[in-house]
Structures are given as C-alpha cells and as structure tokens.
Amino acid sequence: MVEKSGGYVIHEGCDHIFFVGFLGAGKSTLARNLGRLFHRGYVDVDRMVERSVGKTVCEIFSEEGEASFRRYEARELRKLAQRKSLLVSCGGGIVEGEESCALMHRMGSIVFLDGALSDSLRQIQHPELRPDFVDEACASRLYRLRRPLYERECDLRIDIRDKTFEQVAADSARVLGDDHPHTLTSRNNLAHAYQAAGRHHEAINLFKDTLKVCEDTLSPGHPLTTTVRENLETLEREMNPAPASFPESSEE
Ligand code: S3P
C-alpha cells in the first residue's frame, strides 16, 4: 500500500532499497555486504534478468537491443513487489526506464551512489562485459546524460568520491536506520500530532531536529525537506505572530 502524507510517499507494504549509480560505482558489492551486515536479502537486477531470459546482458543487448533489456529490467522489478526489505543492486541504465523508476519509487527508496566518472572508469575491470562501455567518450556521454536522472530520482545521494568502502557502507547504512526517509516521514507526522495536541514546544523541537537530518541526508531539494521546513515555519508563525503594525504617529 502506498500512502501520501505531507507531500511525501510512505511505502508500507514494500520497503526495498534500490542502489543506483554509474557503472563501476560499487552498487553490487555494497548491496551484498550491507545485506550481510543487516541481515537483509540482496538481489541484483542484471543477474535476475539473465536468469529469467537465459541470456547474458551482452547477448540481450546485441541480439534484441537496449529497449528490450529495459523491458526485462522492469519485468524483474515488478516481481520484487511480493518481497520485503531487500537491498537491490540496479544496472547503471535503469533510470532511463520510466516504468522502472515508477516501480522503484512505489516499492521503496532509491539511493544514488554518486562518484566521479574517472573513478568509475578505473574500477571497471571488464569493459568487454559491459555493452554500454564502447569507449571512454561513450561512457562520458552516458555519464552526462544519466547523472541528472540519478539526482532527480533518488531519495538519498551518497557522495562516494575519495571514500573507502567502509565509509560508503557507513553512509549507506543510515538509510537502514534512523535517518531513513520513512523514519523521517514518521517523525514529521509525530511532530504534527504534538502540534494538534497543543504540545507546541515538543512539536517545534521535533520539526527542527527532523529538518536538520533531512538537510544533512536527503538529496538537495527533496520534497520531504521542503514539507518539514514549511511545517516548522507555519508553527513558528502561529506561536510568534508578527506584532500588529500601527500607522506611524504623525506629529500634531
Ligand atoms: C548498463 C549497465 C550495466 C547493465 C547493462 C546495462 C547500462 O549495469 O545493467 O550492461 O546501460 O549502463 P552495471 O552498471 O551494474 O554495470
């Protein structure tokens, strides 16, 4: 079930975390290791496609074309609706599929591992296995095309530049804990409840605290950050109404 609250979507039935990012960003390694650490299941969408189609990603691209691969990706994502709390490693191009983006939003949170193109190129050990990696010029064109898509679609962006695997894992672990957008939504709702119950100081403190975590952890301009800020400002205005302005007294 998907419920709207304060302009933000709460995912009740399905709470997967989808890792997206440019090729070589370390999505699979991270999702697999976090899965072990947090005892959550882990799946890789590329591998799911390969198993169900019975061809490698490269064969699908060369025999059927990219559009067909994007349809398979969406088909595999749809299957995840029956499952709970998975860490999902997605192929680098998944954000180009409109249906896949809608499915990921409906089923959980999207985490963008944001790295430099140069780092990605260094980490790619088997370019021959990557159909989209024809040459460096092609990779950098794809990077320019996709980076805004990752930014637009993500709930949380993690800057992986100059970070060790442990640091990235620690940052990513936040989405599994207290700073997860769903938890932030719950805090925003709780602050509302305080406000409705007349517990204004508790509401203000909770809105302030939630806003700080939103600003620190969510992608810039995230709708939840805007909602929490507006809630805080409205409550502050209600509690401290601007003094009525009087017309300037004129000299007699
Ligand atoms: C693709 C990236 C690959 C894989 C497929 C298509 C792309 O995933 O899904 O080769 O279009 O960039 P990785 O980013 O995991 O290599």
Side-chain angles (χ1 to χ4, degrees):
M1 186 181 121
V2 181
E3 182 189 313
K4 273 250 178 192
S5 161
Y8 190 69
V9 179
I10 306 171
H11 317 271
E12 287 204 332
C14 219
D15 58 347
H16 304 319
I17 295 172
F18 298 92
F19 289 96
V20 302
F22 202 58
L23 45 162
K27 294 160 286 183
S28 307
T29 318
L30 188 66
R32 190 172 52 246
N33 286 310
L34 284 179
R36 282 195 198 119
L37 277 172
F38 288 86
H39 307 289
R40 289 179 70 155
Y42 152 76
V43 292
D44 181 312
V45 179
D46 283 350
R47 300 294 84 76
M48 289 173 70
V49 170
E50 288 182 330
R51 266 198 305 274
S52 83
V53 180
K55 293 181 187 176
T56 65
V57 169
C58 256
E59 284 166 349
I60 299 171
F61 265 73
S62 62
E63 292 169 20
E64 304 180 29
E66 178 168 352
S68 180
F69 179 76
R70 300 279 165 242
R71 280 193 294 276
Y72 290 137
E73 273 182 327
R75 186 178 77 183
E76 294 311 308
L77 283 178
R78 275 196 297 275
K79 294 180 186 167
L80 302 182
Q82 327 309 331
R83 303 178 62 183
K84 283 278 292 174
S85 307
L86 292 173
L87 297 173
V88 186
S89 168
C90 301
I94 204 155
V95 284
E96 289 192 36
E98 223 174 283
E99 189 189 355
S100 291
C101 288
L103 285 164
M104 290 191 287
H105 284 299
R106 206 176 307 148
M107 293 192 288
S109 303
I110 304 179
V111 175
F112 166 32
L113 299 183
D114 188 10
L117 172 65
S118 51
D119 290 337
S120 283
L121 296 183
R122 255 199 311 279
Q123 281 171 38
I124 296 166
Q125 285 160 16
H126 301 286
E128 73 282 4
L129 297 178
R130 301 187 182 242
D132 48 328
F133 188 84
V134 181
D135 54 34
E136 276 199 31
C138 170
S140 68
R141 188 186 58 75
L142 275 176
Y143 182 86
R144 282 197 304 276
L145 171 85
R146 287 178 183 169
R147 198 163 177 282
L149 303 181
Y150 297 131
E151 286 198 302
R152 188 186 70 196
E153 300 298 333
C154 74
D155 295 293
L156 177 74
R157 182 181 71 90
I158 294 175
D159 191 342
I160 61 170
R161 274 164 283 208
D162 303 320
K163 288 201 182 139
T164 61
F165 172 77
E166 286 72 21
Q167 286 168 321
V168 176
D171 282 351
S172 318
R174 291 190 320 215
V175 294
L176 297 149
D178 206 30
D179 296 345
H180 192 285
H182 303 173
T183 317
L184 292 174
T185 307
S186 317
R187 286 200 215 177
N188 177 55
N189 293 344
L190 180 61
H192 260 310
Y194 281 150
Q195 183 178 351
R199 294 161 65 175
H200 290 151
H201 287 291
E202 283 160 285
I204 284 221
N205 287 341
L206 192 53
F207 277 136
K208 277 187 183 160
D209 178 53
T210 310
L211 180 61
K212 168 133 195 17
V213 185
C214 285
E215 286 170 343
D216 289 350
T217 63
L218 300 181
S219 50
H222 194 288
L224 181 58
T225 313
T226 312
T227 303
V228 177
R229 186 179 300 115
E230 284 169 2
N231 290 341
L232 174 63
E233 286 169 359
T234 308
L235 180 55
E236 281 178 333
R237 268 198 306 277
E238 272 176 37
M239 289 179 68
N240 302 303
S245 56
F246 295 102
E248 284 192 6
S249 59
S250 51
E251 295 284 316
E252 292 281 303

